[in-house]
Every structure is written in structure tokens, then in C-alpha cells.
Amino acid sequence: MKKLILGLGVLSFIALTSCKEDASKKIEEVNVTAAAERDENASKFPVIEFNEREHDFGNIEKGVPVETTFTYKNTGTAPLVVTDIKSSCGCTVPQDWSREPLKPGDSSKFSVTFNGSGENKITKTITLTANTEKGTEEVKITAFVKPAANAVN
């Protein structure tokens, strides 16, 4: 039994050590260069810069819609793609944004309409889904909603 175990051990040792090839000799320089270029490009992201991150409508009448336009610029080194824009509630509607890639250095815009609902100080968040490093970007609108002029207390 000891001879059998010893024989299997020696056979396993020979089998495991006989296939030692130098793996570094199999690496081709072309593949290394291509991988380095791929990794460098993978770390490049577009950068979105807004004309303003928060727009204040000031005092507005309840139920009176207001609209503003956010302008943004791609200050990164890769094309910027905005895939979606959503607001934190249904009373704020983002619209008119381009779904086409925005080249580095180019600008674009989207509009936001707030329907004037709520009371007192309101803040609404608009979230852009884009191919930036974070994946999402936010802008905000604020207003002080005054009661409607014909409201009865």
C-alpha cells in the first residue's frame, strides 16, 4: 500500500511539473498594446457642466406653470450621451433634450416645466442618466408657491 501511495505521489509530481512552460513567452506585444489602449479609453468619461445647477423661480402663483431651460456642455474627452431625464415628481416635466451623442466641447439644453402645485417653498430634483463617470447628474428647481389670488381662507 505504501508503494502504491508513493508511486501515485511521484506520478502526480511528474505530471504537474512536466507542463511548466514560460507563459510570458506566449504574450504578443500587439495584444499588450491593444489592451493598454483599451484600458486608457475605458477610463475616459464625458464631463457634463451646467450653466446652473439650481434654478430659482422666486415667488410664483399657485397653479401657474413656469418654465426654465438648463444648458449643459460636454467638457470631457469622450462623447456625452444623455439617455433619460426624470423629475422627482409628476408636477415637473423635463423635455426637449437630445439623445444624440454630444461631442467634447459642444453644448445642448433641455427645458423643465413646473405646474405650480404645492405650497410655500418647494424644491424639485431633475436627474439626468448619462454616460458620465457617476452615471447620473442632478439639477434642481426651487420656488415659493403663493396661494392663488382667488383662494378663500
Side-chain angles (χ1 to χ4, degrees):
M1 185 72 171
K2 289 182 182 180
K3 289 181 183 182
L4 180 62
I5 293 174
L6 183 60
L8 286 176
V10 170
L11 186 61
S12 296
F13 179 75
I14 292 171
L16 292 174
T17 59
S18 66
C19 295
K20 278 192 169 181
E21 292 183 34
D22 190 2
S24 64
K25 291 179 183 176
K26 292 184 176 184
I27 297 174
E28 294 181 26
E29 189 62 33
V30 174
N31 293 340
V32 172
T33 305
E37 185 177 319
R38 180 201 64 219
D39 291 347
E40 182 180 330
N41 288 335
S43 64
K44 292 181 182 177
F45 290 97
V47 177
I48 191 167
E49 189 175 295
F50 292 94
N51 63 328
E52 62 180 345
R53 286 271 181 177
E54 185 171 322
H55 178 79
D56 187 359
F57 288 111
N59 294 328
I60 63 172
E61 296 292 326
K62 183 176 181 116
V64 176
V66 290
E67 184 176 314
T68 188
T69 300
F70 286 96
T71 303
Y72 58 94
K73 181 177 184 176
N74 179 2
T75 59
T77 57
L80 172 68
V81 179
V82 176
T83 57
D84 196 19
I85 302 179
K86 292 188 181 209
S87 66
S88 57
C89 76
C91 60
T92 307
V93 182
Q95 54 198 6
D96 303 327
W97 76 90
S98 173
R99 288 151 177 88
E100 297 297 318
L102 188 64
K103 295 178 185 175
D106 286 353
S107 297
S108 191
K109 61 186 176 179
F110 65 94
S111 61
V112 175
T113 303
F114 171 60
N115 68 5
S117 64
E119 292 182 359
N120 299 321
K121 179 76 172 173
I122 59 96
T123 300
K124 304 297 177 182
T125 302
I126 297 91
T127 304
L128 287 81
T129 304
N131 63 332
T132 58
E133 189 169 10
K134 291 191 308 183
T136 59
E137 303 290 332
E138 291 183 348
V139 293
K140 294 182 180 188
I141 59 168
T142 60
F144 186 86
V145 181
K146 299 186 293 184
N150 58 1
V152 178
N153 287 338

